[in-house]
Amino acid sequence: MPRSIWTGAISFGLVTVPVKLYSAVNRKTVRFNQLNAKTGSRIAQKRVDASTGEEVNFEDLVKGYEIASDRYVVIEPGELESVQPAKTKTIDIEDFVDLAEIDPIFYDHPYYLAPAAGGAKPYRLLLEAMRETEKVAIAKVVIRQKESLVAIRALQDHDVLEMATMLFADEVVDPERLDDIPGADDVKTNDRELAIAKQLVESLAGDFEPEKYHDTYREAVLEMIEKKAAGEEIVIAEEAEEAAPVPDLMSALKASLDAVRKTTDDDGDGADEQPKRKRPAASKSGASKAKSAAKK
């Protein structure tokens, strides 16, 4: 069962809602250790002075900010603590906005908020009010000595509040700074190309079902690890030849649309109807093997 990583209260107006914070994700990453190929032992990372090559004791380490090449401003622990945000236990709501107004690029890490002792009724009241008004709360909170901007919303399919930390505006790169993005005046498309492109989009349209998508690379790595641990030899397949490039954009669009229609027809859907992509069920074999490897 997940354990809460922070306890506090949501504050809006004169109302406080005691809450507990839970991480909403469980990152699935295959981690490797660096080993000595000759001995099979792990490699130890050491702190070495770049000028002398000697190892530095932990108690001799200080924080430094580089202001120029090899020029640093040394910051003492007490100096850093003097500018850290006050340690509060409150999620202070500053605004309520429409969900559609928030660009997904601002979202960082998701969490769940659950009611703490004595908070069931105000929690439920806030959840239903946000669901009825279809608003998202923008708030600030201090977690682990860092002030974060967060967005809180009521999930539609579950009676729970979800909180996502957000990037500040100056942390998001302005796309106008990209030199490689062509403007509408630089590249012209015709109505025929646009019509086929829209047909292709519609033919691939469907409901978002997140459980259909898998990290196939991670599953393949875990399967390979399981085989090597069992003493099997891993055969490295030769790289497949790249497909010949399609001569032009219109041909690529038509070929893509024809391929989707053929798949639809093969699945038994009517050819005269608007082609609708029928997504195959995800294979369970890779996932089961991955779980087995993870247990080992």
Side-chain angles (χ1 to χ4, degrees):
M1 181 178 180
R3 295 198 305 175
S4 63
I5 58 177
W6 182 89
T7 58
I10 299 174
S11 174
F12 67 108
L14 299 178
V15 179
T16 58
V17 184
V19 292
K20 296 183 289 185
L21 186 70
Y22 296 85
S23 179
V25 297
N26 181 18
R27 304 284 185 187
K28 303 290 186 180
T29 303
V30 181
R31 299 186 182 277
F32 294 96
N33 293 309
Q34 289 186 324
L35 309 177
N36 184 333
K38 296 179 180 179
T39 65
S41 300
R42 287 186 59 174
I43 301 299
Q45 303 291 338
K46 295 184 177 182
R47 298 174 292 273
V48 177
D49 187 313
S51 62
T52 65
E54 298 179 356
E55 187 173 357
V56 181
N57 295 325
F58 181 80
E59 58 270 19
D60 294 328
L61 298 178
V62 295
K63 293 182 181 293
Y65 184 85
E66 189 173 22
I67 57 175
S69 180
D70 292 331
R71 289 188 58 199
Y72 301 89
V73 174
V74 176
I75 304 296
E76 300 294 337
E79 296 172 331
L80 196 59
E81 290 175 3
S82 68
V83 296
Q84 286 178 345
K87 296 179 181 179
T88 66
K89 285 288 188 177
T90 307
I91 303 173
D92 296 307
I93 294 178
E94 299 189 357
D95 299 289
F96 286 96
V97 302
D98 292 333
L99 178 61
E101 294 182 14
I102 305 175
D103 191 314
I105 199 171
F106 284 98
Y107 293 125
D108 185 21
H109 188 97
Y111 298 89
Y112 291 132
L113 289 169
K121 186 171 182 179
Y123 179 93
R124 184 71 192 186
L125 183 64
L126 176 60
L127 186 148
E128 292 185 355
M130 292 177 65
R131 184 176 287 166
E132 291 285 337
T133 58
E134 299 182 348
K135 295 294 184 181
V136 176
I138 303 299
K140 285 186 176 180
V141 61
V142 177
I143 301 176
R144 299 192 182 103
Q145 300 179 332
K146 181 182 184 301
E147 184 180 62
S148 296
L149 183 69
V150 299
I152 303 171
R153 67 186 180 97
L155 297 184
Q156 293 298 322
D157 299 330
H158 303 278
D159 291 333
V160 66
L161 293 175
E162 183 261 350
M163 184 185 87
T165 53
M166 303 178 69
L167 301 175
F168 288 98
D170 59 357
E171 295 179 296
V172 177
V173 175
D174 187 349
E176 295 294 333
R177 295 171 56 186
L178 302 179
D179 297 329
D180 301 327
I181 306 300
D185 296 332
D186 301 323
V187 179
K188 297 295 184 181
T189 60
N190 58 53
D191 293 340
R192 178 61 176 162
E193 291 170 336
L194 180 58
I196 296 180
K198 289 168 63 177
Q199 287 184 53
L200 180 58
V201 170
E202 290 295 334
S203 67
L204 295 172
D207 296 329
F208 176 57
E209 300 178 44
E211 62 277 2
K212 286 186 176 181
Y213 307 99
H214 297 267
D215 185 344
T216 55
Y217 172 72
R218 177 173 59 86
E219 292 177 353
V221 170
L222 288 174
E223 184 176 356
M224 178 185 66
I225 292 172
E226 182 180 17
K227 288 180 178 179
K228 290 206 71 173
E232 295 185 34
E233 183 180 354
I234 304 300
V235 178
I236 302 176
E238 296 182 3
E239 293 186 8
E241 294 184 4
E242 294 184 4
V246 179
D248 56 65
L249 179 59
M250 180 61 79
S251 298
L253 289 169
K254 289 181 178 178
S256 300
L257 189 57
D258 290 342
V260 173
R261 285 174 171 166
K262 183 179 185 304
T263 302
T264 304
D265 292 343
D266 290 344
D267 286 338
D269 293 344
D272 295 334
E273 299 176 0
Q274 173 67 28
K276 199 73 172 179
R277 187 182 183 189
K278 193 170 185 179
R279 303 176 189 270
S283 171
K284 296 182 180 179
S285 60
S288 62
K289 291 178 179 177
K291 290 181 180 178
S292 175
K295 289 181 179 179
K296 292 184 178 182

